[in-house]
Amino acid sequence: MTSIPGRKGTVHAATSDDDEADEFETELRPLVGEAVRLATGMLLSAVEAEDAVQEACLRAWRRRTNRRPGSPLRPWFLAIVANECRELRQSPWRSVLRLSDLSAMTTVLPADPGPGLDLRRALRRLPYRMRLVLVLRYYMDQPYDTIASVSGCSVNAAKALVYRATSRLEKALRDPEATQ
Amino acid sequence: MSNEDSENMLRRRFHDALDPALPAAGVEGRVLQRLRPRLVRSTPAPNARWQQLRTTLGGALAALVVILVIGGSLGVALALRSHTHPTTVPKPSPPTTPATPPIKPSSPPWTPPATAQVSSTITATTPLLVTWDPTSEVGSAPSRYIARDYQGRVVGTFTLDQNSQAAGVSIAPDGSKLLIGGRLLYDIYGHRLADIYADDLPEPIWADDSSHLCGFIATANDSSTGVLVEVSASGEVRTVARLGQRGWGIIACSPDADRAVVSDSTGPTVQEINWVVLRLSTGQVIATYPGWSASGAVSTHDGRLLAVDEANGISIRDMATGRQLAWVVRWGSQAGYPLIGAAVVFSWDGKRLLIDGGGAGGATHPRWLVAWATNTNVMTNVTAGSTELESVVPLTSGPTFLVEEPVSPYRAYLLEGDGVLHLLP
């Protein structure tokens, strides 16, 4: 039997990649739901949120060596999701729709859409960072240290930002034209 | 209320607003399932980098070749189209204001009814979104219009006998009034306001205050008298200006902005349109822009901006100065030929323009919601095989549109200025 020197190494590399991918996936799995909620809050679209989380997962995998050993995955991954949402919001092609998919992609308004619609509209008008901290605080119930990690600032700055963003949101809810 | 109460209330509002927008159940599984094959593939081994670079370069070269080939084909197709389809640029159905400038006045297709049988359950204040419900027409049942407030809530219905419906119904921009058969003016609450029909006022358009109509007087023998009139909701007719016998069409009529924009299609060639801006209150001509080549045009409600469909793109013009503010090009297709996109409607605030790029027999029917100032697509919507354009009407504030699907199941949407669609209940 002739051994083929290179092939054995390749098989080992693939197995190693598979193991690492397994490990990564196991670690990531419990965070995907939270990531989807964050992305939905940021993008206000189910389809875009799913896309954003998909890309964020891949980005996290590619950047996994940048993560400080022993540091928690959660805030690091949520920060990647938030960045992905920001980039998607800035893309002029973010809303590519096909008519056949409209039903699946549109938000069906409840019978009384008033408060929900108002809030979504108000959120849409807020700057990226303000929307991010509000979604983390009020939709995902995150503590300030996580908000600080995800938004890349100190805990005190995160508190101040949440306060300012809340005031701005309340103003936007009271007067929908004010922030236009 | 304590801070904690206030925070909890906000949390509830966030959940109420965002939970319905979450992706369908099983999203975690879908994401991870799609992710797995990409994980290992996306791990480049050190000795594979050159291979990857070579593939990337090869891909770029291949893309360049494809672009050149497609570009060449496009040029050939355009040249062919300019010879074989010189006048087949389709103009989408007009929304609340007419989309095609050289409106040829003509007599109504039949004698409008002398009266209409209407009833209304609407009591809400305007503005309202009023949409026709085609499913209501069963047998001889009256046609039904559904009224919603700007939040999308159904606030009542307006019904109309089928004979009157067949004569044509034009709804005021804010949903407050209906012009039936070009003659009978009703408010949305079912009250008859006026009988404004005259044989000599074909195809009037609603002014942007929803209280007036504007149009050109025609006589039995002459459809181009050039007499521009404004008609109030009580039926009072006021002559705005006498512009002389030309091929006039009205594009915009705005009492609030004291402006009217009209087109004159008697230029030296079929596609050269003259444009005139007038002060609506006095009839004084403010500006005349001769000979902009156009196959169609739409105006903002106040006549401030005009999107002119030219041969190779859409020019956005400031009607105060005539200056071109932007040049927007979108390509669709018609029967396999590239087809330049045509302007359909501006949002009320003038910041968004809906463009249609499909024609009869087109394999695809793309539409774009464009932020024209930055030439960016806020939304792209591509349908296969459809040639019908939804009814798209701007709400009378901001950048939002009401969109109706023309075929069953006749859904209606709110299309926000940032491209988000909300299905209306």
Side-chain angles (χ1 to χ4, degrees):
Chain A
M1 191 173 165
T2 312
S3 75
I4 306 172
R7 183 168 293 177
K8 194 175 175 187
T10 307
V11 171
H12 271 294
T15 307
S16 166
D17 279 348
D18 277 342
D19 289 346
E20 199 176 350
D22 281 343
E23 200 177 312
F24 178 77
E25 197 181 305
T26 307
E27 204 178 0
L28 202 63
R29 185 179 289 275
L31 301 178
V32 173
E34 272 187 283
V36 168
R37 282 158 59 85
L38 173 60
T40 304
M42 295 302 291
L43 298 167
L44 303 171
S45 156
V47 173
E48 288 179 6
E50 197 167 326
D51 282 352
V53 172
Q54 187 81 64
E55 289 309 308
C57 289
L58 195 61
R59 192 175 282 198
W61 166 253
R62 286 173 178 153
R63 293 180 184 174
R64 63 194 183 281
T65 52
N66 297 351
R67 194 175 133 212
R68 243 192 355 257
S71 65
L73 178 65
R74 196 153 152 275
W76 179 78
F77 176 56
L78 291 180
I80 292 177
V81 174
N83 277 334
E84 191 66 37
C85 292
R86 183 175 54 185
E87 286 173 19
L88 205 57
R89 278 183 76 194
Q90 288 165 349
S91 162
W93 289 94
R94 62 179 274 241
S95 297
V96 179
L97 298 178
R98 290 181 187 281
L99 192 63
S100 57
D101 299 336
L102 280 183
S103 309
M105 297 168 79
T106 49
T107 305
V108 180
L109 296 181
D112 179 9
L117 191 61
D118 286 355
L119 190 85
R120 287 196 294 270
R121 282 182 174 160
L123 272 179
R124 207 169 277 137
R125 292 184 189 117
L126 292 182
Y128 161 80
R129 267 166 72 88
M130 284 194 172
R131 191 194 290 193
L132 175 63
V133 296
L134 288 176
V135 169
L136 287 167
R137 180 72 185 161
Y138 297 117
Y139 189 47
M140 300 178 64
D141 297 329
Q142 296 298 313
Y144 282 112
D145 56 348
T146 304
I147 296 173
S149 298
V150 175
S151 53
C153 61
S154 68
V155 173
N156 282 338
K159 284 180 182 171
L161 190 57
V162 168
Y163 177 77
R164 282 204 309 274
T166 307
S167 305
R168 182 97 171 251
L169 178 74
E170 283 169 349
K171 190 178 170 196
L173 286 168
R174 277 197 307 272
D175 180 6
E177 303 296 318
T179 52
Q180 280 184 353
Chain B
M1 188 185 290
S2 71
N3 273 350
E4 197 177 338
D5 289 343
S6 170
E7 286 208 340
N8 285 336
M9 198 173 79
L10 257 180
R11 284 194 177 96
R12 275 199 302 277
R13 289 194 73 170
F14 266 79
H15 281 278
D16 288 346
L18 299 181
D19 282 349
L22 282 169
V27 59
E28 292 91 343
R30 287 197 300 278
V31 166
L32 292 172
Q33 196 180 4
R34 285 195 299 259
L35 178 67
R36 186 51 196 258
R38 298 173 72 186
L39 288 187
V40 178
R41 263 210 321 270
S42 70
T43 313
N47 60 359
R49 287 198 190 281
W50 166 242
Q51 180 66 32
Q52 194 180 43
L53 181 63
R54 212 168 49 170
T55 309
T56 307
L57 286 172
L61 276 172
L64 190 62
V65 170
V66 168
I67 287 166
L68 287 173
V69 169
I70 289 175
S73 310
L74 202 69
V76 171
L78 271 176
L80 278 173
R81 179 174 163 266
S82 65
H83 289 294
T84 57
H85 301 275
T87 58
T88 53
V89 178
K91 193 64 212 171
S93 310
T96 50
T97 52
T100 314
I103 296 168
K104 196 71 179 170
S106 60
S107 297
W110 73 17
T111 306
T115 186
Q117 294 169 6
V118 305
S119 66
S120 174
T121 64
I122 301 161
T123 54
T125 53
T126 56
L128 297 170
L129 305 166
V130 181
T131 57
W132 178 47
D133 177 13
T135 61
S136 62
E137 287 197 348
V138 180
S140 59
S143 286
R144 184 171 56 220
Y145 287 79
I146 298 170
R148 295 178 176 89
D149 63 18
Y150 273 15
Q151 302 295 315
R153 289 178 288 235
V154 174
V155 294
T157 57
F158 181 96
T159 57
L160 176 66
D161 64 283
Q162 283 196 14
N163 192 37
S164 300
Q165 169 69 26
V169 176
S170 173
I171 302 167
D174 67 0
S176 63
K177 299 175 192 71
L178 298 93
L179 178 65
I180 299 167
R183 170 178 188 172
L184 302 170
L185 199 57
Y186 279 81
D187 69 20
I188 197 69
Y189 310 110
H191 307 119
R192 183 167 170 166
L193 301 176
D195 182 343
I196 66 158
Y197 179 76
D199 284 334
D200 54 10
L201 187 62
E203 301 182 33
I205 66 164
W206 279 103
D208 66 350
D209 66 353
S210 295
S211 292
H212 292 84
L213 294 143
C214 295
F216 279 96
I217 294 281
T219 65
N221 300 322
D222 190 351
S223 61
S224 55
T225 59
V227 180
L228 177 64
V229 297
E230 182 191 66
V231 184
S232 72
S234 58
E236 187 183 324
V237 179
R238 180 178 72 83
T239 298
V240 175
R242 296 176 188 277
L243 298 172
Q245 294 191 354
R246 313 279 285 186
W248 295 110
I250 183 150
I251 307 298
C253 176
S254 174
D256 293 339
D258 196 10
R259 189 185 292 125
V261 178
V262 299
S263 63
D264 163 25
S265 58
T266 50
T269 66
V270 174
Q271 299 225 321
E272 280 183 49
I273 310 291
N274 302 315
W275 310 90
V276 179
V277 184
L278 302 109
R279 206 175 296 287
L280 190 63
S281 57
T282 62
Q284 179 195 357
V285 174
I286 300 168
T288 303
Y289 305 114
W292 292 346
S293 175
S295 57
V298 290
S299 168
T300 48
H301 68 90
D302 56 3
R304 186 172 54 89
L305 301 169
L306 192 70
V308 183
D309 297 334
E310 298 187 17
N312 299 309
I314 300 167
S315 66
I316 312 291
R317 301 268 186 173
D318 179 344
M319 292 309 280
T321 61
R323 197 163 63 89
Q324 181 176 301
L325 302 176
W327 177 249
V328 182
V329 182
R330 298 291 183 276
W331 283 100
S333 72
Q334 179 182 11
Y337 291 96
L339 180 69
I340 193 78
V344 179
V345 61
F346 273 108
S347 60
W348 199 263
D349 64 10
K351 292 177 180 170
R352 299 286 181 269
L353 178 66
L354 191 82
I355 296 175
D356 184 69
T364 57
H365 196 100
R367 288 145 207 160
W368 303 267
L369 182 63
V370 174
W372 58 265
T374 54
N375 199 8
T376 51
N377 293 335
V378 176
M379 188 187 84
T380 300
N381 178 353
V382 180
T383 62
S386 168
T387 56
E388 286 192 271
L389 182 75
E390 301 99 328
S391 161
V392 183
V393 180
L395 274 59
T396 53
S397 61
T400 308
F401 297 85
L402 169 69
V403 180
E404 293 173 85
E405 287 184 355
V407 292
S408 178
Y410 309 110
R411 285 173 296 213
Y413 301 85
L414 278 183
L415 171 57
E416 305 246 9
D418 58 3
V420 175
L421 275 167
H422 298 287
L423 178 64
L424 293 178

